[in-house]
Amino acid sequence: MDNAINTSLRNLATARSPADLVMRLEDVSYSVGNRAILKGLSLSIPRGSVTGVMGPSGTGKTTLLRLMTGQINADSGRVIVAGEDLGLLSRSQLYTLRKRMGMLFQNGALLTDLSVYENVAYPLREHTDLPEALIARVVLTKLQAVGLRGAADLMPSELSGGMARRVALARAIVMDPEFLIYDEPFAGLDPIAMGMVMRLIRRLNDTLGLTSIIVSHDVAEMALLADYAYVLNAGAIAAQGTPVELAGDPTPAVRQFMAGLEEGPVAFHYPAPDYAQQLLGLVR
Amino acid sequence: MSGVIAQLREKALELTLKTGDFTLFFGRMLVAVPATIARPSLVVAQIYNAGALSLVIIMLAGLFVGMVLGLTGYDILQRYGSEEALGSVSAIALVKELGPVVTALLFAGRAGTAVTSEIGLMKATDQLAALEMMAVDPVRRVCVPRFLGGVVSMPLLAGIFSMIGIFGAQLVGVYLMRVDAGQFWSELQAAMEPRYISEGLIKSCAFGVACSAIAVHEGFRCLPTAEGVSRATTRTVVNSSVAVLIIDYLLTAVML
């Protein structure tokens, strides 16, 4: 029955052949004002994989994610998702493509005027004409998968941060998307929820044949989960490979990030005048 | 001197860009209106938020504005021995002018700020981005229902304001100042023409469009931070109030 529901929803959400399921960025640059966030970045996401995008804070990970989902357009270069150049799509074409994507926001981004149940049901109500009984079945299945079936009637304000993220994950998978994009899925989760989310990401990826992209700076979790990963530094790719390859990467910036070292080319401190001179009031 | 000119140029450019952005946004909302009307529950909820929840302040303001009108009107009219005209003077002033304008100013402060801050907070907490990612147009789902809710609510509120205002004027005029009740109502009935009512209705509809569009636009375009939402809320009140006064003058001039 669940398979039938999944198949029916997938048919509603997509009418594409699986051959074009791939994401590709070609020489993408993006700036805010005079500040270059991404500089000529190229990467590709193979179909059916769990791909990690890692890197220190402020290296352009979230910008990359927004480019991949068409929330912003690149200044130059191309972002190709499922064979479509996002820069050339109209709003309605972009929405058609997004019906095939799911995204987990860092803070959950649940609609605060709707209950947990209604939040998860929301995409189904917007995009399908499924009968209420079937919607209830799908929603409860997804909530059960994230361990929150019992919280169906709670409002988002009654949830902890970790619970809100799990509800958001249930909402992200309710349309059975082809791509699932996670923005820092492990931040703020307790060990039990983290283990559950990691297993869930892997299970969803393998059983439903999804393509998962995880933007995170949790090195240990990504090493266990990702098939392939990119390490971003200063708006460019510093290294790429399997987690094992990355762990042995000799590039100083990559070594510093993977091992969590304070000393290295990636500065922990934001540029500032001399500390002693500033404390003595000699400089501002 | 060149610095002042450069600043003026910059301000003019900024104003042009903002006006253009507002116009495009307004056009985008108008295009989405038919799709939103097809789901009336969204609009009804917003009529409740913008209209029903503003009722108490509108009724209270209407009562006191009417009572002040009754006192001042009586004071002036009795100097000419025309205090029986109090009913017509109060009613025409309320229906044509004070009802629509004061309602719109109160609406901007009560419902407009609520809409701006709600949409602004939705933006700050990624709810609008989440809707986008679910292939749901936030303009259609969030902005247009609130816009229509305001447009429908405003004339209704203005009507209620005027009625309560007339009641307030009658309360003071008849019960406090002892104007004859029969004269009060018969003068009102004789002086009131349908064009005064339609003028008030047209004004309140125009104010409804202006105030609601400004509130929704400010929320949708605000910086997604606490300060950004706060500034957008302030801009909603200031811009709506200025827009109401300018539109009022223009419509009054046209409909004279």
Side-chain angles (χ1 to χ4, degrees), chain B residues 41 58 65 80 90-91 110 114 126 169 189 232:
Chain B
S41 62
I58 293 292
V65 167
Y80 307 100
S90 314
R110 170 32 206 109
D126 282 335
Q189 197 177 2

Side-chain angles (χ1 to χ4, degrees), chain A residues 5 8-13 99 121-136 138 174-175, chain B residues 38-39 140:
Chain A
I5 294 168
S8 121
L9 290 173
R10 183 181 291 284
N11 288 340
L12 284 163
K99 287 179 190 170
Y122 188 79
L124 295 173
R125 295 197 197 286
E126 284 290 326
H127 299 305
T128 73
D129 293 319
L130 293 176
E132 194 54 44
L134 197 51
I135 288 180
V138 176
V174 77
M175 291 287 287
Chain B
R39 293 177 63 181
R140 185 170 60 80

Side-chain angles (χ1 to χ4, degrees), chain A residues 82-124:
Chain A
E84 310 264 19
D85 186 341
L86 293 189
L88 304 176
L89 296 184
S90 67
R91 192 187 302 274
S92 62
Q93 287 171 323
L94 188 60
Y95 281 176
T96 306
L97 184 61
R98 280 182 183 157
K99 287 179 190 170
R100 303 162 64 188
M101 293 181 181
M103 180 167 168
L104 179 67
F105 283 83
Q106 198 170 346
N107 60 8
L110 297 177
L111 300 172
T112 45
D113 57 339
L114 301 179
S115 68
V116 164
Y117 178 94
E118 287 300 330
N119 260 287
V120 180
Y122 188 79
L124 295 173

Side-chain angles (χ1 to χ4, degrees), chain A residues 11-33:
Chain A
N11 288 340
L12 284 163
T14 172
R16 294 272 178 150
S17 72
D20 60 358
L21 290 180
V22 69
M23 191 177 284
R24 210 163 72 243
L25 274 74
E26 295 174 355
D27 200 20
V28 168
S29 296
Y30 183 79
S31 303
V32 175

